[in-house]
mmCIF file with all atom_site columns, all heavy atoms in Angstrom:
data_model
loop_
_atom_site.group_PDB
_atom_site.id
_atom_site.type_symbol
_atom_site.label_atom_id
_atom_site.label_alt_id
_atom_site.label_comp_id
_atom_site.label_asym_id
_atom_site.label_entity_id
_atom_site.label_seq_id
_atom_site.pdbx_PDB_ins_code
_atom_site.Cartn_x
_atom_site.Cartn_y
_atom_site.Cartn_z
_atom_site.occupancy
_atom_site.B_iso_or_equiv
_atom_site.pdbx_formal_charge
_atom_site.auth_seq_id
_atom_site.auth_comp_id
_atom_site.auth_asym_id
_atom_site.auth_atom_id
_atom_site.pdbx_PDB_model_num
ATOM   1  N N   . THR A 1 109 ? 95.403 -90.925 131.526 1.00 98.00 ? 117 THR A N   1
ATOM   2  C CA  . THR A 1 109 ? 94.942 -91.347 130.221 1.00 98.00 ? 117 THR A CA  1
ATOM   3  C C   . THR A 1 109 ? 95.823 -92.539 129.857 1.00 98.00 ? 117 THR A C   1
ATOM   4  O O   . THR A 1 109 ? 96.783 -92.872 130.631 1.00 98.00 ? 117 THR A O   1
ATOM   5  C CB  . THR A 1 109 ? 95.067 -90.186 129.185 1.00 98.00 ? 117 THR A CB  1
ATOM   6  O OG1 . THR A 1 109 ? 94.765 -90.699 127.859 1.00 98.00 ? 117 THR A OG1 1
ATOM   7  C CG2 . THR A 1 109 ? 96.492 -89.587 129.117 1.00 98.00 ? 117 THR A CG2 1
ATOM   8  N N   . GLU A 1 111 ? 97.238 -93.722 126.506 1.00 98.00 ? 119 GLU A N   1
ATOM   9  C CA  . GLU A 1 111 ? 97.901 -93.971 125.212 1.00 98.00 ? 119 GLU A CA  1
ATOM   10 C C   . GLU A 1 111 ? 99.106 -94.868 125.309 1.00 98.00 ? 119 GLU A C   1
ATOM   11 O O   . GLU A 1 111 ? 99.272 -95.795 124.505 1.00 98.00 ? 119 GLU A O   1
ATOM   12 C CB  . GLU A 1 111 ? 98.316 -92.603 124.575 1.00 98.00 ? 119 GLU A CB  1
ATOM   13 C CG  . GLU A 1 111 ? 97.198 -91.850 123.862 1.00 98.00 ? 119 GLU A CG  1
ATOM   14 C CD  . GLU A 1 111 ? 96.312 -91.058 124.832 1.00 98.00 ? 119 GLU A CD  1
ATOM   15 O OE1 . GLU A 1 111 ? 96.609 -91.066 126.077 1.00 98.00 ? 119 GLU A OE1 1
ATOM   16 O OE2 . GLU A 1 111 ? 95.299 -90.503 124.396 1.00 98.00 ? 119 GLU A OE2 1
ATOM   17 N N   . ARG A 1 140 ? 93.565 -86.854 137.566 1.00 98.00 ? 148 ARG A N   1
ATOM   18 C CA  . ARG A 1 140 ? 94.336 -85.697 137.081 1.00 98.00 ? 148 ARG A CA  1
ATOM   19 C C   . ARG A 1 140 ? 94.295 -84.658 138.237 1.00 98.00 ? 148 ARG A C   1
ATOM   20 O O   . ARG A 1 140 ? 93.213 -84.345 138.711 1.00 98.00 ? 148 ARG A O   1
ATOM   21 C CB  . ARG A 1 140 ? 93.714 -85.081 135.830 1.00 98.00 ? 148 ARG A CB  1
ATOM   22 C CG  . ARG A 1 140 ? 93.795 -85.990 134.599 1.00 98.00 ? 148 ARG A CG  1
ATOM   23 C CD  . ARG A 1 140 ? 93.220 -85.404 133.334 1.00 98.00 ? 148 ARG A CD  1
ATOM   24 N NE  . ARG A 1 140 ? 93.302 -86.442 132.324 1.00 98.00 ? 148 ARG A NE  1
ATOM   25 C CZ  . ARG A 1 140 ? 92.759 -86.257 131.094 1.00 98.00 ? 148 ARG A CZ  1
ATOM   26 N NH1 . ARG A 1 140 ? 92.148 -85.156 130.759 1.00 98.00 ? 148 ARG A NH1 1
ATOM   27 N NH2 . ARG A 1 140 ? 92.827 -87.248 130.200 1.00 98.00 ? 148 ARG A NH2 1
ATOM   28 N N   . GLU A 1 142 ? 93.937 -81.730 138.927 1.00 96.00 ? 150 GLU A N   1
ATOM   29 C CA  . GLU A 1 142 ? 93.432 -80.425 138.395 1.00 96.00 ? 150 GLU A CA  1
ATOM   30 C C   . GLU A 1 142 ? 93.782 -79.279 139.385 1.00 96.00 ? 150 GLU A C   1
ATOM   31 O O   . GLU A 1 142 ? 93.674 -79.442 140.559 1.00 96.00 ? 150 GLU A O   1
ATOM   32 C CB  . GLU A 1 142 ? 91.935 -80.476 138.188 1.00 96.00 ? 150 GLU A CB  1
ATOM   33 C CG  . GLU A 1 142 ? 91.448 -81.587 137.302 1.00 96.00 ? 150 GLU A CG  1
ATOM   34 C CD  . GLU A 1 142 ? 91.454 -81.209 135.814 1.00 96.00 ? 150 GLU A CD  1
ATOM   35 O OE1 . GLU A 1 142 ? 91.691 -80.028 135.522 1.00 96.00 ? 150 GLU A OE1 1
ATOM   36 O OE2 . GLU A 1 142 ? 91.227 -82.055 134.963 1.00 96.00 ? 150 GLU A OE2 1
ATOM   37 N N   . GLY A 1 152 ? 86.392 -83.207 138.215 1.00 98.00 ? 160 GLY A N   1
ATOM   38 C CA  . GLY A 1 152 ? 86.906 -83.882 139.369 1.00 98.00 ? 160 GLY A CA  1
ATOM   39 C C   . GLY A 1 152 ? 88.441 -84.035 139.218 1.00 98.00 ? 160 GLY A C   1
ATOM   40 O O   . GLY A 1 152 ? 89.049 -83.710 138.272 1.00 98.00 ? 160 GLY A O   1
ATOM   41 N N   . ASP A 1 159 ? 87.825 -94.614 127.449 1.00 98.00 ? 167 ASP A N   1
ATOM   42 C CA  . ASP A 1 159 ? 88.838 -94.209 126.451 1.00 98.00 ? 167 ASP A CA  1
ATOM   43 C C   . ASP A 1 159 ? 89.099 -95.377 125.503 1.00 98.00 ? 167 ASP A C   1
ATOM   44 O O   . ASP A 1 159 ? 89.324 -96.511 125.918 1.00 98.00 ? 167 ASP A O   1
ATOM   45 C CB  . ASP A 1 159 ? 90.132 -93.699 127.097 1.00 98.00 ? 167 ASP A CB  1
ATOM   46 C CG  . ASP A 1 159 ? 90.548 -94.387 128.375 1.00 98.00 ? 167 ASP A CG  1
ATOM   47 O OD1 . ASP A 1 159 ? 89.675 -94.837 129.135 1.00 98.00 ? 167 ASP A OD1 1
ATOM   48 O OD2 . ASP A 1 159 ? 91.752 -94.526 128.604 1.00 98.00 ? 167 ASP A OD2 1
ATOM   49 N N   . GLU A 1 279 ? 82.035 -80.110 127.853 1.00 97.00 ? 287 GLU A N   1
ATOM   50 C CA  . GLU A 1 279 ? 82.717 -81.102 126.962 1.00 97.00 ? 287 GLU A CA  1
ATOM   51 C C   . GLU A 1 279 ? 82.480 -82.459 127.542 1.00 97.00 ? 287 GLU A C   1
ATOM   52 O O   . GLU A 1 279 ? 83.021 -82.782 128.578 1.00 97.00 ? 287 GLU A O   1
ATOM   53 C CB  . GLU A 1 279 ? 84.223 -80.728 126.908 1.00 97.00 ? 287 GLU A CB  1
ATOM   54 C CG  . GLU A 1 279 ? 84.973 -81.708 126.022 1.00 97.00 ? 287 GLU A CG  1
ATOM   55 C CD  . GLU A 1 279 ? 86.444 -81.747 126.368 1.00 97.00 ? 287 GLU A CD  1
ATOM   56 O OE1 . GLU A 1 279 ? 87.059 -80.663 126.574 1.00 97.00 ? 287 GLU A OE1 1
ATOM   57 O OE2 . GLU A 1 279 ? 87.025 -82.860 126.424 1.00 97.00 ? 287 GLU A OE2 1
HETATM 58 N N1  . 5CA B 2 .   ? 93.139 -89.895 125.833 1.00 87.92 ? 104 5CA B N1  1
HETATM 59 C C1  . 5CA B 2 .   ? 92.206 -88.870 125.418 1.00 87.92 ? 104 5CA B C1  1
HETATM 60 C C2  . 5CA B 2 .   ? 91.031 -89.458 124.734 1.00 87.92 ? 104 5CA B C2  1
HETATM 61 S S1  . 5CA B 2 .   ? 90.717 -91.106 125.290 1.00 87.92 ? 104 5CA B S1  1
HETATM 62 C C3  . 5CA B 2 .   ? 91.789 -88.026 126.559 1.00 87.92 ? 104 5CA B C3  1
HETATM 63 O O1  . 5CA B 2 .   ? 92.228 -88.192 127.652 1.00 87.92 ? 104 5CA B O1  1
HETATM 64 N N2  . 5CA B 2 .   ? 90.986 -87.017 126.240 1.00 87.92 ? 104 5CA B N2  1
HETATM 65 S S2  . 5CA B 2 .   ? 90.455 -85.916 127.222 1.00 87.92 ? 104 5CA B S2  1
HETATM 66 O O2  . 5CA B 2 .   ? 91.536 -85.371 128.029 1.00 87.92 ? 104 5CA B O2  1
HETATM 67 O O3  . 5CA B 2 .   ? 89.796 -84.914 126.425 1.00 87.92 ? 104 5CA B O3  1
HETATM 68 O O4  . 5CA B 2 .   ? 89.421 -86.509 128.219 1.00 87.92 ? 104 5CA B O4  1
HETATM 69 C C4  . 5CA B 2 .   ? 88.293 -87.185 127.715 1.00 87.92 ? 104 5CA B C4  1
HETATM 70 C C5  . 5CA B 2 .   ? 87.003 -86.740 128.427 1.00 87.92 ? 104 5CA B C5  1
HETATM 71 O O5  . 5CA B 2 .   ? 87.128 -86.970 129.787 1.00 87.92 ? 104 5CA B O5  1
HETATM 72 C C6  . 5CA B 2 .   ? 86.711 -85.292 128.292 1.00 87.92 ? 104 5CA B C6  1
HETATM 73 O O6  . 5CA B 2 .   ? 86.050 -84.971 127.109 1.00 87.92 ? 104 5CA B O6  1
HETATM 74 C C7  . 5CA B 2 .   ? 85.852 -84.990 129.514 1.00 87.92 ? 104 5CA B C7  1
HETATM 75 O O7  . 5CA B 2 .   ? 84.505 -85.310 129.186 1.00 87.92 ? 104 5CA B O7  1
HETATM 76 C C8  . 5CA B 2 .   ? 86.352 -86.007 130.530 1.00 87.92 ? 104 5CA B C8  1
HETATM 77 N N3  . 5CA B 2 .   ? 87.223 -85.313 131.527 1.00 87.92 ? 104 5CA B N3  1
HETATM 78 C C9  . 5CA B 2 .   ? 88.465 -84.797 131.316 1.00 87.92 ? 104 5CA B C9  1
HETATM 79 N N4  . 5CA B 2 .   ? 88.919 -84.255 132.463 1.00 87.92 ? 104 5CA B N4  1
HETATM 80 C C10 . 5CA B 2 .   ? 87.981 -84.452 133.392 1.00 87.92 ? 104 5CA B C10 1
HETATM 81 C C11 . 5CA B 2 .   ? 87.841 -84.089 134.760 1.00 87.92 ? 104 5CA B C11 1
HETATM 82 N N5  . 5CA B 2 .   ? 88.786 -83.467 135.428 1.00 87.92 ? 104 5CA B N5  1
HETATM 83 N N6  . 5CA B 2 .   ? 86.721 -84.441 135.425 1.00 87.92 ? 104 5CA B N6  1
HETATM 84 C C12 . 5CA B 2 .   ? 85.683 -85.091 134.779 1.00 87.92 ? 104 5CA B C12 1
HETATM 85 N N7  . 5CA B 2 .   ? 85.759 -85.413 133.515 1.00 87.92 ? 104 5CA B N7  1
HETATM 86 C C13 . 5CA B 2 .   ? 86.859 -85.093 132.802 1.00 87.92 ? 104 5CA B C13 1
#
Side-chain angles (χ1 to χ4, degrees):
T117 174
E119 279 80 5
R148 293 181 186 174
E150 302 273 352
D167 37 326
E287 179 201 319

